[in-house]
Amino acid sequence: MKKSIVLFFLLAFTFSFAQNGKMKLKNAEFKSGQENEFIYESPKGLVIPENAIVTIAYEGYLSKSFPLAKNEANYTFKIKVPNSTEVLYLAVNDAKKNTIDNNGEKGYVIYLNNTTKGALENAQIKELNLADFANYALKLKISSAESIKRYDELFKQNPKLKETDAYKDYLFLLYRENKEETTPKLIQLAEKLETKKDEKSLNAAYNIYYAVNKADKLNTTKNLVLTKYPQGEVAKNEFWKGFYENKDKTESFVLESLKSYNTKFSDHSTETDSRFYSQLLPIYLKNKDTLNLAKYENLIVDKFTIANVYNNYAWDASGQDLTTPAKDIDFIEQISKKTVLIVKERMANPKESDDPAQL
């Protein structure tokens, strides 16, 4: 028992970054699904401007920003994230999202579930999977080599992790660094996954063969997974690929594709239907069919999709600059006003996944 406890804290110490400042949960226990308060201790001598914010990157490749509040001893901020979130990358920015402190371009990292050795390992794997997105969202510079080293240490401490998805992710990082040396290892893993025959394993094998451009094995695996799981993820991806590659998306083509998808995959969700409906908007815009535009505006769930389509149309129709004379200015103005109304409504009623600083 003592040995397990020592190993747990040794592992926690091994993977902690040398952070000049500090970020930590204010209370001893993270309350899942609720708003939690955190403390930020800035590096000595660093000036934190007024209206500074904390930006986080977390699972689902999502990013949000929260106000940073000054008190006598340090700074505090409050965050609410989905129940499933296990790890956060954090950085401090000014009101214009310029970086103030991102821990030497490595980000501050907080594990939300580290009560056991297994929970901590899971959080660390999630952290490594999130590194590329954190690099983008928080302007970090976490290299593939750094992540590979972390994986090596994890596998050394717990060899059983090589039997999980973590090993596939690890090999893909190695593949970035040395394709020739890593390709045989990826193919070997794909062949092992194929023998399991379950959908998840076959999908993973298919993705590996696609990544390493192993055409013969790719086609064999694709045919197998499509036959065995005709309503699975690969089948769905193949459907969408064919749909989007069609250059002539007429109204009848889109609506027949929707009907076919609903039937084939028993998917009648409003989100899926909206995905098809959004493809009708450019057709109706081109024809200035305001009746059908109004109809499908009401049926599309994510109104931001409408705003994006309308905004792109208005930009193209106006000549893609501020000087070229626009055609059909009255229609463009009508469409642009709808875009503004959608954005204002979203700002007033943001979704859980929205970053208020980006609205």
Side-chain angles (χ1 to χ4, degrees):
M1 180 68 180
K2 288 183 179 179
K3 184 177 180 180
S4 298
I5 294 173
V6 170
L7 178 61
F8 170 73
F9 283 105
L10 177 63
L11 186 134
F13 175 79
T14 300
F15 287 100
S16 62
F17 280 123
Q19 301 178 150
N20 295 320
K22 292 182 181 178
M23 286 194 184
K24 60 184 179 181
L25 187 64
K26 183 175 181 180
N27 300 314
E29 184 180 350
F30 177 77
K31 297 178 180 178
S32 181
Q34 300 182 35
E35 187 176 68
N36 288 264
E37 189 168 10
F38 294 79
I39 294 173
Y40 168 56
E41 298 176 9
S42 61
K44 188 175 181 180
L46 181 65
V47 177
I48 306 298
E50 291 186 11
N51 301 319
I53 56 177
V54 170
T55 302
I56 67 170
Y58 60 104
E59 293 151 58
Y61 304 111
L62 297 171
S63 176
K64 280 188 178 184
S65 299
F66 301 86
L68 192 62
K70 179 76 171 74
N71 57 35
E72 291 183 6
N74 44 45
Y75 295 85
T76 60
F77 54 96
K78 295 179 180 179
I79 290 176
K80 182 180 178 182
V81 290
N83 295 357
S84 59
T85 308
E86 296 185 49
V87 64
L88 302 174
Y89 276 95
L90 309 94
V92 177
N93 299 322
D94 65 18
K96 294 182 178 181
K97 300 299 285 281
N98 298 309
T99 301
I100 302 301
D101 178 18
N102 61 4
N103 190 33
E105 299 181 324
K106 301 304 176 186
Y108 290 95
V109 177
I110 298 177
Y111 303 124
L112 303 181
N113 183 4
N114 61 357
T115 53
T116 66
K117 177 177 177 290
L120 179 60
E121 287 174 346
N122 286 336
Q124 289 164 343
I125 289 169
K126 294 285 181 66
E127 174 196 351
L128 293 172
N129 288 339
L130 196 58
D132 282 346
F133 176 70
N135 282 344
Y136 163 77
L138 306 182
K139 299 177 182 177
L140 307 183
K141 290 183 179 178
I142 302 170
S143 68
S144 297
E146 289 175 279
S147 295
I148 288 168
K149 183 179 178 182
R150 296 276 306 281
Y151 270 118
D152 285 334
E153 292 173 354
L154 270 171
F155 294 147
K156 183 177 179 180
Q157 291 166 350
N158 183 0
K160 289 184 178 180
L161 290 173
K162 281 195 170 185
E163 301 299 318
T164 69
D165 288 341
Y167 184 61
K168 171 174 60 70
D169 298 331
Y170 165 74
L171 288 182
F172 274 124
L173 280 175
L174 285 176
Y175 186 72
R176 285 188 199 174
E177 301 292 301
N178 190 328
K179 291 185 178 181
E180 184 177 350
E181 184 178 301
T182 310
T183 295
K185 296 177 182 178
L186 277 166
I187 292 175
Q188 183 180 28
L189 175 61
E191 291 173 344
K192 180 180 178 181
L193 289 167
E194 280 185 283
T195 63
K196 296 184 178 181
K197 302 297 184 183
D198 63 279
E199 184 179 4
K200 180 182 176 183
S201 298
L202 289 174
N203 286 352
Y206 172 81
N207 289 330
I208 290 173
Y209 291 136
Y210 182 85
V212 301
N213 197 27
K214 189 73 171 171
D216 55 336
K217 297 290 289 185
L218 176 67
N219 291 330
T220 300
T221 306
K222 182 171 76 171
N223 291 335
L224 175 61
V225 73
L226 289 176
T227 301
K228 196 172 178 64
Y229 301 101
Q231 293 182 307
E233 289 305 312
V234 171
K236 290 179 181 178
N237 290 338
E238 285 294 303
F239 187 100
W240 285 112
K241 180 183 176 184
F243 176 77
Y244 286 121
E245 286 179 349
N246 187 297
K247 303 296 183 183
D248 185 25
K249 292 187 181 65
T250 62
E251 180 182 31
S252 60
F253 169 75
V254 174
L255 293 176
E256 284 299 317
S257 296
L258 166 60
K259 184 178 178 181
S260 176
Y261 191 92
N262 288 159
T263 302
K264 181 177 177 65
F265 298 107
S266 301
D267 182 353
H268 300 272
S269 66
T270 53
E271 289 78 10
T272 294
D273 288 355
S274 292
R275 192 170 173 181
F276 284 99
Y277 294 153
S278 67
Q279 298 296 310
L280 293 169
L281 297 181
I283 299 170
Y284 299 140
L285 285 168
K286 183 178 179 180
N287 298 328
K288 299 179 183 59
D289 186 345
T290 54
L291 190 63
N292 269 315
L293 285 172
K295 173 184 175 180
Y296 286 102
E297 282 173 17
N298 292 328
L299 294 176
I300 294 173
V301 176
D302 187 354
K303 304 304 180 186
F304 250 26
T305 301
I306 302 170
N308 285 332
V309 174
Y310 284 5
N311 189 58
N312 290 336
Y313 172 83
W315 179 249
D316 289 339
S318 63
Q320 299 184 350
D321 57 43
L322 301 177
T323 58
T324 303
K327 300 177 181 179
D328 302 315
I329 189 66
D330 291 338
F331 184 65
I332 293 174
E333 184 178 0
Q334 179 185 345
I335 293 302
S336 297
K337 284 181 178 179
K338 286 188 176 184
T339 300
V340 172
L341 288 174
I342 290 170
V343 173
K344 285 183 176 179
E345 170 63 22
R346 187 67 160 262
M347 290 176 69
N349 301 283
K351 289 188 174 184
E352 183 70 25
S353 59
D354 285 339
D355 182 354
Q358 299 293 336
L359 293 177

